[in-house]
Amino acid sequence: MKTDGSGVQILPTWSLSTTGVTVTSPQGVTGPIGIDFKTSATPPSGTNQSFTFVQLLNGVQQKYITGNGVTLVPPTPTVSIDKTYPYAYVYPAETWDTPSAGLPMMNYGEGWETFTATMYLMWDPGIPPSGQSSCTPAKTVQNADGTFTPSTSTCASIPVPLSSVTWHWSGCAINQLVNQSNGTTYTLSTTNGCPVQTLGIPQSSGFPTWSPAS
């Protein structure tokens, strides 16, 4: 299905891959990639249009086990927009994410994090306000120091969703109480109730919605 012959593909296919390699983005940010989002969507040429991304956190939470029992951080899983609106893109129709969790303190018995999110591919036709010849769609740039600089759209049009994908990451560390080859007393695990990492599948299109930050 396409929009009036323009070549904008609705419900494009996604290519998801976990890489674990260190790369440098066009903005000069160097680091490992956790997951790479690519899409087959093809924009029309010769217009002031742009692709953009929005990622919503569906549930992010850490759990720690100590001699005093179980601690959940935060007490209920985080449900919010991820970082900024829109999500920073790497290349047109491609972006990355690298969720992670640090090791617990050495006197903890176990620590894990579970991370579930939905990434949306959005398209803004870049229609200028009445009486203006041009406009700039909203975008977020990741700076070389890792911070983000979002900009507000000056267009009359709004981004529309083309497709989305829900995905999950998790990590679990068990304290073995003896030194390990990694230089700590912790080992990674997917047993003993630890969450298991999985990748999602494409979802039907729909507008991302979230509550304002409190």
Side-chain angles (χ1 to χ4, degrees):
M1 178 177 176
K2 298 182 179 180
T3 60
D4 56 359
S6 66
V8 177
Q9 301 176 358
I10 306 301
L11 291 179
T13 58
W14 287 87
S15 172
L16 282 77
S17 61
T18 52
T19 64
V21 299
T22 299
V23 298
T24 300
S25 73
Q27 294 79 26
V29 180
T30 300
I33 295 177
I35 186 169
D36 186 22
F37 297 89
K38 295 181 181 179
T39 175
S40 65
T42 304
S45 60
T47 61
N48 186 39
Q49 58 77 40
S50 69
F51 284 123
T52 190
F53 293 89
V54 173
Q55 179 154 278
L56 301 185
L57 301 178
N58 304 329
V60 178
Q61 189 176 48
Q62 296 177 344
K63 180 177 78 173
Y64 299 101
I65 297 178
T66 69
N68 296 323
V70 177
T71 300
L72 297 176
V73 182
T76 59
T78 298
V79 178
S80 67
I81 192 168
D82 190 8
K83 299 182 179 72
T84 62
Y85 172 84
Y87 192 86
Y89 70 90
V90 182
Y91 299 100
E94 180 180 1
T95 192
W96 303 330
D97 195 9
T98 310
S100 62
L103 287 175
M105 296 195 308
M106 298 305 292
N107 61 335
Y108 284 23
E110 179 182 328
W112 64 254
E113 177 173 299
T114 181
F115 180 106
T116 302
T118 301
M119 180 68 78
Y120 291 81
L121 174 68
M122 312 289 287
W123 179 71
D124 191 330
I127 301 174
S130 177
Q132 298 184 21
S133 59
S134 64
C135 67
T136 303
K139 69 176 181 179
T140 296
V141 175
Q142 184 175 9
N143 306 309
D145 62 0
T147 60
F148 298 92
T149 302
S151 64
T152 303
S153 173
T154 63
C155 300
S157 54
I158 64 171
V160 293
L162 299 184
S163 188
S164 65
V165 62
T166 297
W167 62 285
H168 177 75
W169 171 87
S170 57
C172 180
I174 306 294
N175 194 343
Q176 304 294 338
L177 302 179
V178 294
N179 291 331
Q180 305 295 308
S181 58
N182 58 21
T184 75
T185 60
Y186 285 96
T187 58
L188 295 177
S189 177
T190 56
T191 60
N192 300 323
C194 295
V196 179
Q197 172 183 324
T198 59
L199 288 176
I201 58 175
Q203 307 294 305
S204 60
S205 61
F207 281 91
T209 59
W210 62 91
S211 299
S214 57

